Structure formats: structure tokens, C-alpha cells
Amino acid sequence: MTKYFDVFNGDADGICALIQLRLVEPLDAELITGVKRNITLLQQVNAIAGDRITVLDISLDRNRTDLQRLLATGANVHYLDHHYAGEIPVHSNLQAMIDESPDTCTSLLVDRFLNERYSLWAIVAAFGDNLVSIAQKYCSELGLNAVDIQLLRQLGELLNYNGYGSYIEDLHFHPASLFRALQHFDDPREAYGSSPEVAILARGYAADMHHISALTPLVVTNTAAVYQLPDEAWARRTVGTLANNLSQTYPERAHLILCSDGQGSLSVSVRAAKTHPYGASAFCRHYPEGGGREAAAGINRHPEVMVGDLIADFVRTFGSP
């Protein structure tokens, strides 16, 4: 008997991508996800020949060994993603749709794959993934009004905000629970208006964002800025939102956001400048547990004692006097 696995990033893009797919093809699948930074998710999949695995919004390169293991068992894998992939294996059981360009996200790839069946959910994801101009372009093409556009943007930002944290306990909702709460809504505008989970996220977001309003950069140049957040749950939840907001406010700058995990390591978020959205992934891949995409990337655990070297490397790479 075929077993199904849905493996997805716990941020807005991963959740919205899976919502689109399961609205078209409902399945009783085992859900495998976690905090946004937990991307080596295929190691949790134990499949046999004939099983079907859908993988969304996690780097193939970071999951290569387990992908090859699963293909060798005879499992079928459908892989959609926009992060750095490296060489994509050629295998009869692998269907891969991967686009690393900085102006797309996994949900937009799913939207293309499904012939635009549920484009509003793809727009939510694009807003959540900080692809604001791309999302607005899609909204314009669909003739959406300003109220609807703002609603979709807020929902995307809330879903993305929920994914950030060093531990599941940092989050308001486990991403699998959030997916289950939203998966039956054909229209995300209805989810925004009637889901109690979204209302809880909105209250949490407002409270957490109050903390970051007074932050100032450790380092700032014409083209780069560095911020460091304290060892607090609210800080771990807001690190991605802060990075995205800064990139919108200062599009000519790259941003490095550092946040302690309380165990001697830093969670690192990098945003390339909006005016030149390249290089974030390559920068982070120089470090253990680093990766991402051209415009936005991160390092899961960087030793706090080496923070000076990291900042200097960032400024050399992205900064100018």
C-alpha cells in the first residue's frame, strides 16, 4: 500500500505551496516540517518502493544524501524548490522543478505547475518571502483592489513570521498545525478573516515588533548593515521579519541579522540588496550549516566567539565605505 509524505519548509512559502497542491489533490500524507531553518528534513523520511514523497521549499543540495537514499529504495519523489540545488540527480523516480532565480519562490513554481489554479495562495507566499514587487505584479494582473492586496500581504508576513525560531517552542504554532488549520480554504482572504490561528499570529506579531522598533545597527555603510538581537524568544521570532523589512526600507543595502540561540551559537540571516539581489547564498555556503537562495540566505548555528570574523567577512563582501 502506497504511503505518502509531504515534506515542506515551515515558512509561508512551504505552507502555501503545500496548500495549493493539496487543494488540487487531497492526500492523507505524513507531514514532515519544522522551524524555517530546519531544512534537512528528508533524513526524517523512511520510505519504501512505491511510496510518494513531495518535497517543497528545502534545498536539494542540503538533502542530497537522503534524496539519493530514498530514490535507491524505489520511492517516487516530486521536488519543487528555489534554493541552491547544485547538481540535480537524474533518476526515473525523481521529478524535479527547481528555479534558483531571485524573482521566484516555491509557491510560484507550484502555481505554474498547477496552471494557476490557486494563485492567491502563491501571492501570499511571495509576499511572505519578501518578493513584494513580484507579488504586487501578480495582484495587478488579477485586478485585485488595495484592500485585498494588503490582506494577502499581511497574511504572508504572518505565516512567514511564525516559521522563525531556533526551536519549535519559539513558534506560536507548529507549521504542520498551521497547514492543517488553513488547508481547506480555497481563498486565503477567507482564512485571514475567519481563522483563529491567524488572529493569534497577528496579536503576537504586533507585540514582538514593538521590541525591534528601537534597534540600531552595529555596523552601517552605504551598502551594508549589521544588526544583533538579544537571546530572547521574541527576537528569534522576528529575525526574518526584521531582515525583510530592512531590505524594503534600505533596498541599496545588504543586511546581516544576528540572533543568539542561548547555547553559544548565532542564528544568522542575510539579505542581499534589493537593487542587486545576488550573493546571499554563496556567502552563507562558505560556513557550516549555511545556505539559501540568491537574495536571502542564512546560517543555522554560527559560533558566537567567531562573530567578529563573520561581520568582517560580510562587510568585505557586501560593504563599501
Side-chain angles (χ1 to χ4, degrees), residues 6 13 17 39 43 57 105 110 118 120 135 144-145 161 169 214 248-249 253 271 302 316:
D6 285 337
D13 195 18
I39 58 172
Q43 64 186 4
D57 202 39
C105 63
V110 172
Y118 294 99
L120 293 182
L144 299 179
N145 62 43
Y161 154 76
E169 293 75 19
Q248 293 293 331
T249 304
R253 289 181 189 165
R271 298 294 184 272
H302 184 78
R316 279 195 303 270

Side-chain angles (χ1 to χ4, degrees), residues 116-140:
E116 303 177 347
R117 290 280 299 277
Y118 294 99
S119 295
L120 293 182
W121 278 113
I123 290 169
V124 170
F127 275 127
D129 236 21
N130 203 33
L131 299 174
V132 175
S133 61
I134 303 299
Q136 290 173 333
K137 175 177 178 289
Y138 276 76
C139 289
S140 177

Side-chain angles (χ1 to χ4, degrees), residues 6-19:
D6 285 337
V7 184
F8 60 104
N9 196 311
D11 68 356
D13 195 18
I15 291 172
C16 293
L18 186 57
I19 288 173

Side-chain angles (χ1 to χ4, degrees), residues 50-266:
D51 287 348
R52 285 176 52 189
I53 306 164
T54 299
V55 189
L56 301 166
D57 202 39
I58 58 173
S59 166
L60 187 152
D61 190 59
R62 292 289 302 276
N63 288 273
R64 183 177 307 280
T65 298
D66 286 291
L67 173 60
Q68 292 171 333
R69 169 181 62 83
L70 293 165
L71 291 172
T73 68
N76 298 287
V77 181
H78 188 192
Y79 210 119
L80 298 102
D81 185 45
H82 67 130
H83 299 92
Y84 175 78
E87 185 177 353
I88 300 173
V90 177
H91 196 285
S92 59
N93 286 359
L94 174 63
Q95 180 184 6
M97 185 176 186
I98 295 177
D99 183 345
E100 299 175 28
S101 61
D103 59 352
T104 195
C105 63
T106 303
S107 286
L108 291 174
L109 298 181
V110 172
D111 186 52
R112 189 192 312 168
F113 176 72
L114 297 177
N115 296 316
E116 303 177 347
R117 290 280 299 277
Y118 294 99
S119 295
L120 293 182
W121 278 113
I123 290 169
V124 170
F127 275 127
D129 236 21
N130 203 33
L131 299 174
V132 175
S133 61
I134 303 299
Q136 290 173 333
K137 175 177 178 289
Y138 276 76
C139 289
S140 177
E141 290 173 354
L142 292 175
L144 299 179
N145 62 43
V147 173
D148 284 342
I149 294 172
Q150 183 62 17
L151 185 154
L152 296 176
R153 180 171 184 171
Q154 289 175 347
L155 181 57
E157 291 173 350
L158 290 176
L159 296 182
N160 213 53
Y161 154 76
N162 183 74
Y164 278 92
S166 297
Y167 320 101
I168 284 292
E169 293 75 19
D170 289 335
L171 311 186
H172 293 285
F173 297 100
H174 193 292
S177 298
L178 198 52
F179 163 75
R180 291 189 185 100
L182 302 176
Q183 66 176 316
H184 304 298
F185 289 98
D186 289 1
D187 190 326
R189 293 170 294 188
E190 296 178 5
Y192 187 92
S194 61
S195 168
E197 290 80 7
V198 173
I200 291 170
L201 287 180
R203 291 195 295 270
Y205 179 91
D208 284 349
M209 292 305 291
H210 176 74
H211 290 290
I212 69 173
S213 58
L215 289 174
T216 56
L218 286 177
V219 177
V220 62
T221 75
N222 290 337
T223 59
V226 180
Y227 288 76
Q228 184 156 7
L229 301 178
D231 175 19
E232 300 285 350
W234 66 261
R236 292 190 289 270
R237 287 194 295 266
T238 58
V239 61
T241 302
L242 174 61
N244 289 343
N245 288 352
L246 288 170
S247 73
Q248 293 293 331
T249 304
Y250 304 101
E252 74 287 354
R253 289 181 189 165
H255 290 90
L256 175 70
I257 314 297
L258 309 168
C259 186
S260 173
D261 67 1
Q263 298 184 357
S265 297
L266 296 168

